[in-house]
Amino acid sequence: MPGALERLLGPTLVGKGGRVVQTSSIDSGVVGIYFSAHWCPPCRQFTPMLARRYHELKSLNKAFEVVFISSDHDKGSFDEYFGSMPWLSLPFEDRARKASLSQIYGVSGIPTLVLVDSNGTLVDRNGRQKVFDATFAQSLPEKIDVEVRGLTLESVIDTISCDAALSDEERTVGYSTLVKVVSNILNNPGDPKYLTLKKSNASVQSKLGNRNFIKILKLAGFQETPEAYKCSEYPDTGKLKEVRDVLNSLLLSMS
């Protein structure tokens, strides 16, 4: 049986590059239904502001998603505008659902950002102001990666220590690599070249080949995509420092 968000937004949404995203994959939390259009100057002004806030909330590992509801006049305009957005979208072709959503939430002008929870219950009709409140981030639940749900840095390190398939040298190389990765981000804030580790990189494959090293990356705030492990432009420096300091202490004890 379809969930509340699926009944509201349809079974599938559009992600970056036109990929199909199951609506059911949206984490429990808050969803911003964003009514906007490329032809609307106030929309084009607000969208970059919302994108920055979106990245900030994602970097804090908050369960927050945005779904774009386009009022563009044609598919080309939609594609161009949606290409500048980091979130999901209702398929442009689903004009009937767009009209239904506009009616449900009484949308009479754009940009409009309506906030609902994972049950489809209205949280705030005036999301444009709400999402920038300091208390909003605090009210959001954390997004938990299934692979590291319930794990701590210490528990993963214990697993690595007990892994008979790993040599002491491999542990040292793995920990040293992780320290270098997080230190580069901390020492070079905002530098994009340190925020992505490509899976195809031979060094990543050889030094972080054990899956438990990847779990430490995730606990530090990295997210996994099909091609890479990525840290947000707005990382949680507290998590990064914890990983760096704990692993540095561990390396000292191993030397």
Side-chain angles (χ1 to χ4, degrees):
M1 181 177 178
L5 285 181
E6 292 172 283
R7 293 193 296 272
L8 185 66
L9 299 171
T12 60
L13 299 167
V14 181
K16 300 305 292 181
R19 65 187 176 89
V20 175
V21 177
Q22 299 298 316
T23 306
S24 59
S25 68
I26 294 177
D27 292 289
S28 296
V30 172
V31 177
I33 303 177
Y34 182 39
F35 299 86
S36 186
H38 184 267
W39 53 260
C40 164
C43 297
R44 295 199 304 272
Q45 183 178 26
F46 178 70
T47 294
M49 297 167 58
L50 180 59
R52 286 192 293 272
R53 183 57 168 161
Y54 177 85
H55 285 305
E56 289 172 1
L57 294 171
K58 289 291 189 182
S59 74
L60 295 173
N61 204 35
K62 295 298 184 178
F64 177 65
E65 191 52 76
V66 173
V67 177
F68 171 42
I69 311 298
S70 174
S71 291
D72 288 299
H73 298 312
D74 55 72
K75 183 67 160 52
S77 298
F78 163 80
D79 288 340
E80 180 182 353
Y81 192 32
F82 181 50
S84 69
M85 300 176 182
W87 43 69
L88 306 175
S89 175
L90 185 76
F92 179 76
E93 296 79 9
D94 197 349
R95 297 290 83 190
R97 194 176 298 275
K98 181 264 180 188
S100 174
L101 288 166
S102 296
Q103 184 176 26
I104 289 171
Y105 297 112
V107 176
S108 58
I110 54 175
T112 292
L113 182 66
V114 176
L115 303 178
V116 301
D117 65 17
S118 56
N119 294 315
T121 303
L122 181 67
V123 174
D124 200 311
R125 291 184 185 275
N126 191 18
R128 287 178 60 188
Q129 279 71 44
K130 181 70 173 179
V131 293
F132 292 99
D133 289 348
T135 56
F136 180 67
Q138 298 168 9
S139 70
L140 291 172
E142 286 198 356
K143 178 181 178 180
I144 301 176
D145 188 300
V146 174
E147 188 176 23
V148 294
R149 182 174 289 148
L151 297 181
T152 64
L153 180 57
E154 289 72 19
S155 69
V156 177
I157 289 172
D158 286 343
T159 301
I160 292 173
S161 299
C162 297
D163 190 342
L166 284 173
S167 67
D168 288 342
E169 181 181 358
E170 287 172 324
R171 292 186 185 93
T172 299
V173 169
Y175 291 146
S176 298
T177 301
L178 289 167
V179 168
K180 182 178 180 180
V181 167
V182 298
S183 295
N184 280 337
I185 296 172
L186 289 168
N187 296 334
N188 302 276
D191 192 330
K193 73 179 180 181
Y194 295 117
L195 299 177
T196 300
L197 297 178
K198 293 184 178 179
K199 292 182 178 180
S200 59
N201 185 295
S203 181
V204 172
Q205 293 176 2
S206 63
K207 296 178 180 179
L208 300 178
N210 186 285
R211 192 65 196 177
N212 285 301
F213 291 135
I214 301 305
K215 291 178 183 178
I216 292 178
L217 269 184
K218 290 185 175 184
L219 289 171
F222 278 74
Q223 295 182 359
E224 184 172 4
T225 71
E227 297 82 23
Y229 306 104
K230 295 185 176 182
C231 186
S232 168
E233 294 178 59
Y234 307 95
D236 184 335
T237 56
K239 289 182 179 179
L240 293 172
K241 288 177 180 177
E242 179 190 11
V243 168
R244 179 198 62 190
D245 295 345
V246 169
L247 294 186
N248 267 331
S249 296
L250 185 59
L251 286 166
L252 281 174
S253 69
M254 294 169 63
S255 61

